[in-house]
């Protein structure tokens, strides 16, 4: 488990505090950049906070090349600010560096760059590719460690956007993962119901996402994506033999900020200084701030 998390057992208030700090960091770095994607970064904060700080992932920030580590892939790479905020919470980048988001020469590009940043396993950004990459990693790890190995089989976790599910490659990867019985693969769907062009069900209806994955042979679970207890329960449950797992996390785009919540217009524009101050004040007024 991550030594950087600061605690070894599930502590829901501490995870919520991490998520709140991450949301503030997201807003501040986007405001400094003057561009970026707030909506889908804010909606995914509870997922990443639970993965890294509940903790769910077997991950040690001081040993990034540890072979038995779990892998995390942010398939929806445009939500890079939530990953950068996580890396700062882990101590893998300095908090001051967050203000360099999207600047020329910065390591914090608009999409994560694995060649530049510690803790980033794969460069992502082309939507639809993350599940394929993750399935390949999961199969490769099983081949490396062997089905009967005494060592723990590392797991692969990936976060996808729901608009991303309109890419056909996602469903090819879903078929591949089920065919090879990749029980060490877990996909989380940020089901906030919105994409850049509007509601997903108006752009290209996705319907019952969990049922779709289940029909491919996945174990499928629906949860409240802002309930860290529910997320932890779904993420930490033992894998079902022979089945990859998908967690459909029902979220709100722009979660934590009243004027951004459920607004497609906040998919890809940065707040002003005044809007950032208001948004941070709202988050801080609701958060249980804990000094980890």
């Amino acid at each position: 488990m991550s030594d950087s998390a600061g605690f070894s057992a599930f502590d829901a208030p501490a995870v919520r505090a991490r998520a709140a700090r991450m949301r503030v960091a997201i807003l501040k770095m986007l405001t400094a950049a003057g561009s970026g994607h707030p909506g889908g970064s804010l909606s995914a904060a509870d997922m990443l906070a639970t993965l890294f700080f509940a903790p769910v992932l077997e991950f040690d920030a001081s040993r990034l090349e540890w072979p038995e580590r779990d892998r995390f892939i942010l398939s929806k790479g445009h939500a890079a600010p939530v990953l950068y905020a996580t890396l700062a919470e882990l101590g893998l980048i300095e908090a001051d560096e967050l203000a360099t988001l999207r600047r020329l020469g910065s390591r914090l590009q608009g999409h994560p760059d694995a060649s530049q940043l510690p803790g980033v396993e794969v460069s992502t950004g082309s939507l639809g590719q993350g599940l394929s990459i993750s399935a390949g990693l999961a199969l490769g790890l099983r081949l490396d460690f062997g089905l009967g190995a005494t060592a723990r089989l590392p797991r692969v976790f990936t976060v996808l956007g729901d608009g991303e599910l309109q890419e056909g490659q996602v469903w090819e990867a879903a078929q591949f993962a089920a065919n090879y019985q990749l029980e060490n693969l877990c996909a989380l769907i940020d089901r906030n119901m919105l994409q850049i062009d509007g509601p997903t069900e108006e752009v290209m209806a996705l319907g019952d996402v969990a049922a779709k994955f289940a029909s491919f042979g996945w174990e499928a679970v629906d949860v409240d994506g802002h309930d860290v207890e529910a997320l932890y329960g779904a993420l930490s449950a033992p894998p079902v033999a022979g089945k990859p797992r998908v967690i459909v996390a029902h979220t709100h785009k722009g979660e934590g900020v009243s004027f951004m919540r459920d607004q497609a217009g906040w998919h890809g524009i940065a707040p002003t200084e005044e809007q950032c101050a208001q948004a941070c004040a709202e988050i801080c007024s609701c958060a249980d701030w804990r000094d980890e």
Side-chain angles (χ1 to χ4, degrees):
M1 295 181 182
S2 172
D3 291 340
S4 299
F7 45 89
S8 58
F10 179 55
D11 182 341
V15 174
R16 285 192 286 269
R18 294 273 191 180
R21 289 202 298 271
M22 288 159 57
R23 286 189 167 96
V24 169
I26 288 165
L27 292 162
K28 289 182 175 179
M29 75 176 89
L30 288 167
T31 302
S35 65
H37 296 81
S41 297
L42 294 169
S43 63
D46 299 298
M47 282 182 270
L48 269 72
T50 304
L51 278 166
F52 282 92
F53 304 111
V56 172
L57 275 77
E58 292 285 346
F59 176 84
D60 185 342
S62 69
R63 293 191 296 159
L64 295 179
E65 301 303 319
W66 178 39
E68 293 179 39
R69 72 188 183 281
D70 289 337
R71 274 68 167 176
F72 173 74
I73 309 297
L74 181 66
S75 184
K76 55 172 211 166
H78 60 277
V82 71
L83 179 56
Y84 299 155
T86 304
L87 295 179
E89 285 287 314
L90 287 166
L92 289 171
I93 61 176
E94 296 294 333
D96 291 347
E97 189 175 359
L98 297 178
T100 71
L101 175 71
R102 290 179 166 238
R103 291 184 185 173
L104 185 64
S106 172
R107 297 193 298 172
L108 307 187
Q109 300 180 25
H111 296 84
D113 183 347
S115 71
Q116 297 290 319
L117 283 171
V120 177
E121 300 281 355
V122 176
S123 301
T124 54
S126 295
L127 295 179
Q129 295 183 358
L131 189 59
S132 294
I133 295 168
S134 299
L137 273 172
L139 179 57
L141 288 165
R142 191 173 72 188
L143 293 171
D144 285 345
F145 285 84
L147 290 174
T150 56
R152 190 188 70 89
L153 178 60
R155 301 181 70 191
V156 181
F157 296 84
T158 182
V159 170
L160 296 87
D162 52 359
E164 185 175 6
L165 302 185
Q166 295 159 358
E167 298 280 356
Q169 184 176 350
V170 169
W171 301 104
E172 293 179 40
Q175 182 178 356
F176 175 95
N179 181 74
Y180 287 99
Q181 302 182 2
L182 300 180
E183 62 188 65
N184 62 325
L185 174 63
C186 179
L188 295 96
I189 310 301
D190 188 357
R191 188 69 168 118
N192 60 41
M193 305 293 289
L194 294 171
Q195 59 193 102
I196 191 169
D197 292 324
T200 57
E201 304 313 284
E202 294 178 10
V203 176
M204 185 177 291
L206 296 168
D208 188 335
V209 172
K212 281 185 167 67
F213 273 93
S215 73
F216 276 76
W218 287 56
E219 177 202 5
V221 182
D222 280 290
V223 301
D224 179 343
H226 301 306
D227 182 337
V228 298
E229 289 95 338
L231 283 166
Y232 180 70
L235 286 163
S236 61
V240 172
K243 287 193 173 188
R245 174 178 295 161
V246 63
I247 298 171
V248 182
H250 296 271
T251 63
H252 296 275
K253 208 173 187 81
E255 175 67 13
V257 182
S258 61
F259 58 88
M260 291 184 180
R261 196 173 193 260
D262 296 329
Q263 300 298 313
W266 283 103
H267 176 89
I269 61 171
T272 64
E273 292 282 356
E274 292 76 14
Q275 289 169 329
C276 179
Q278 178 185 339
C280 290
E282 289 184 9
I283 293 168
C284 293
S285 68
C286 296
D288 174 16
W289 291 94
R290 296 178 58 169
D291 186 16
E292 300 297 340

